[in-house]
Structure formats: C-alpha cells, structure tokens
Amino acid sequence: MKFDAIKFDRRSLLKSGLAASVASQLACDKGTEAAAPLTPGDLSSARADFPRSTNGVYMNHASQHPVSLQTARVMQRYADYLANDCTRAEWYELSEEAKTFANARKNEVKQLFGKLINAKPEEVAFCLSTTVGENIVANGMGIQELRGNVVTNDLHYSSCLYNYKVRQAQGLDVRIVKHKDWQLDPADFEKVVDGNTKLVALTLVSNVNGLLAPVKEIAEIADRNGAYVYADIIQACGAVPIDVKAMGIDFASCSTYKWLMGLRGFAYLYVREDLQGTVVKPTEFGGGVGFNYRPWVETPDPTKDEITYNSKTGASRYEVGNVSSVGAVCQYEALNFIERVGVDAIQAHATPLTDYLQEEMPKIGYASITPKGNRSPITTFRVPDPKEAERRLKQANIEVTLRFGNQMRVAVSVMNNQQDVEALVKALA
Ligand SMILES: Cc1ncc(COP(=O)(O)O)c(C=O)c1O
C-alpha cells in the first residue's frame, strides 16, 4: 500500500522533465535526508538541496521560495502517513515517524522560529498568513475604538495598506508617510507620530525594493509617544537577522512561503509577552471545555461548574482551530536548515550578489531603486523596455519579478551564485 501511494505521486510528478529529476531524488531513499550543511555558514550543498536550481535561473524568491529536497521528502512522507497510517490513537502501536507526524513537531517549530527572531515560544502563535496576523493585532487592540491614530507608510505591503484604508473609511485616523527616493526617513515619522498614535505599522524588508527599514529609529519615536510597533517580517525572516527585542518590535507576523522556505497557509504571529491579553485581546475564540454532569461523567465533581474550561495562555490564545500539520513539518525541516547555516551566513551569501547587481545593472540602463549598501537579498531596477526584457528573460530561462509596469525585482537566495547574476546582466545587456 505504501509503495502504491508513492508510485502514484511519482507518476504525476513525472509529467515534466524537471519533475522527473526531483521525483527520482525524492524516491531514492525514503529514510535518509539529502546531504545537509552541518557547519554554520556552509552553503556548499545549497544548489543540490534546492532542485529548482537545475531548472534555469530562479531569482524570484521574494514571491515564493522553492522548498528544499529535504522538505519535499518530508511532505511526501507526510502524504504517505496520511494515506496509510493516519492515526492519533495513543493506544495504537505507533511508529516513531507516525508519532512525529501526529504531533507535527509544532512545539519544536515554535521554539525554532522564536530563536530566529529572539522571542520565547510562548510569544509565538500560528496563524494563516501575514495579513491575518496584522489583522489579529489591529482588531485585538480595538484600534478603531481607541480613537487614536495609526502611522504607516507607502512601502508597507499593499494589502496591509488596504487594511488601514478600509479602517480609515470607517473613521480611523490613518497617517501614511511617503517614501523619499525609495527610502524611509525617521524624521518624516517624527512629524506625524504623536501622543495619540496607537500603532506604527511597517514592513521590515520592503517587497517593492527590498529596503531594510530603519525600524529601530522609528520604534524609538513610537516608544517615546507611547505607541506600539507592528512589523511585517515576511520578506525579512530567514534572510536578514531579526531581534524583535533589540529592534523595538512589539508585534510581528510572517507566512512561511518566502524566506522561511515553506508553504502558504502557515504563518507566525509574534506578540510581546506582557502585551498579550491586555493590549492585544483575542477577538476569536477556540479551545476545549470539560463536562461535569451526567451523562457526560458518571460522578460529577460538586465543587466544579457543569461546563469548565481553562483559558489558553501565551500567544496560543490567538490561535483558533487546528493549524496545518504539513505546514509545520515542512517548517521543522526548513528552520533546521536555516539554523544550521545561520541567517548571518545567508545574508553574507546574498551580499556580493546584490552588490554585483547594484554595480552592473545601471551600466546597462537599469537604474536601481534600492539604496546602495542595503543589506537585504532584494534589489529592484527600472526597466527601460519591459516587453523586450520579458522576451530576453524567457529566452535565457531566468525568472525574476516584472511588475508595476516598469520594475524588475531580483531576489537572490542560498541556491543562487555569481553565474546566476552574471547570466541576468548578460541576458539584458
Ligand atoms: C511584504 C509582504 N507582506 C505580506 C505579503 C502577503 O503575505 P500573506 O500572504 O502571508 O498575507 C507579501 C506577499 O508577497 C509581502 O511581500
């Protein structure tokens, strides 16, 4: 039975040439993982770990990061578990693997993510997406009813701005700082943040031009005025070092499908411990109750209520319903990979590649809208002839993001190398 399930998967994967190579690697040995970097900073096996690197040049990681071979294998084994074992019964004789999949490593994942941003596991909740995380914060603060203002900026993610525009239409005072030459100037925040500001919301690394926001300076302004800081960290987490405490971030959220090398529909929300349940109240509820009356129990306890429940503690109070187990097991693989390599090394790997692009792209007519010396893996350029650029990229089998009419976003990750960025410049020159 188990092998039937795997064969079926493989047959559908075999439809494309690339899939054939991935499928054969996936199928070769179910038990052993591909060679993973064991020493911090070692990215020598990254191209082998990410089979997407064998199918042309992929530098669209800011849209969706491919998963590693190890993660793909875990997904396949999880599918196998669901198809063949699918049990959570404790009295059943469970294999070690079935036990792992039954709890989906959720506790370990919260710990690993917490370590990545310098938070306690109790400060981390699972949620569905980055945008959901920000909504949990805004709703939990009762931002509308507080009668204060929210300060954000035009490099905050578009869907988040939508969130505040809708609230503005409902009466919230929303102040949107505009970027200056694609950078955020803390002095512009100083002008609009005041004693009535409840929340300053920003994106730590911009999806538009990769700008690493001066969050510490902005957070200091917020703090002086008694406001809290929310950071959208989806384009930062896993790519640049984050220390929420040192950066003055009170709340943060990110999905796992970008620099955390995972899936859609599985995300994290960080809420500073002392603000849980007080500044940010849960607005949706889900948990468990106990019954203390017949026929639920034979001998009810007279000292207890008929229906009892224990309030959830920590950031789990913001979780409602079951979260994606496959999302969690994939994260266990990916976060271990990121931890083994180290975010510093991941950032250091991207730096010469982005520096090269910053140097060479303007020479061929692609002006940069990313500040020089910016330390994120994303650089964005103005495209002189978008149709022609698209044609050349297709011909050279290079994938980057072309959008907003005249912008090209290049997002490099662990599996990219100098040849990749040179190939881009050559294709466009
Ligand atoms: C900066 C930023 N924030 C949020 C999102 C959307 O995230 P989610 O789908 O997790 O809500 C994206 C997606 O591209 C993004 O780039």
Side-chain angles (χ1 to χ4, degrees), residues 62 129-132 157 160 203 205 207 232 234-235 255 257-258:
S129 71
T130 323
T131 318
V132 167
Y157 185 60
C160 311
T203 292
V205 165
N207 64 300
D232 174 329
I234 191 173
Q235 296 290 4
S255 279
Y257 60 92
K258 299 192 194 278

Side-chain angles (χ1 to χ4, degrees), residues 254-383:
C254 64
S255 279
T256 62
Y257 60 92
K258 299 192 194 278
W259 306 93
L260 294 180
M261 307 170 182
L263 304 187
R264 288 172 186 242
F266 189 74
Y268 304 104
L269 168 66
Y270 158 76
V271 179
R272 212 178 85 191
E273 195 169 31
D274 57 314
L275 307 179
Q276 295 173 9
T278 50
V279 171
V280 180
K281 298 197 171 70
T283 52
E284 295 181 326
F285 307 96
V289 298
F291 297 100
N292 183 39
Y293 55 93
R294 283 196 194 93
W296 286 96
V297 288
E298 283 310 314
T299 30
D301 180 344
T303 66
K304 288 190 177 157
D305 286 347
E306 284 194 327
I307 297 182
T308 60
Y309 72 98
N310 291 324
S311 297
K312 286 187 186 173
T313 56
S316 323
R317 75 187 78 209
Y318 304 108
E319 294 169 357
V320 179
N322 290 294
V323 298
S324 165
S325 294
V326 69
V329 294
C330 287
Q331 272 299 276
Y332 183 72
E333 286 304 318
L335 290 175
N336 269 302
F337 175 93
I338 292 167
E339 186 179 48
R340 276 198 303 268
V341 176
V343 175
D344 288 335
I346 292 174
Q347 187 184 39
H349 177 79
T351 299
L353 307 180
T354 53
D355 282 352
Y356 175 84
L357 291 168
Q358 290 277 46
E359 200 58 38
E360 298 303 319
M361 292 286 279
K363 289 186 194 161
I364 59 165
Y366 286 69
S368 174
I369 64 163
T370 304
K372 275 209 165 146
N374 187 57
R375 284 293 157 250
S376 88
I378 301 172
T379 44
T380 301
F381 304 93
R382 281 218 176 86
V383 186

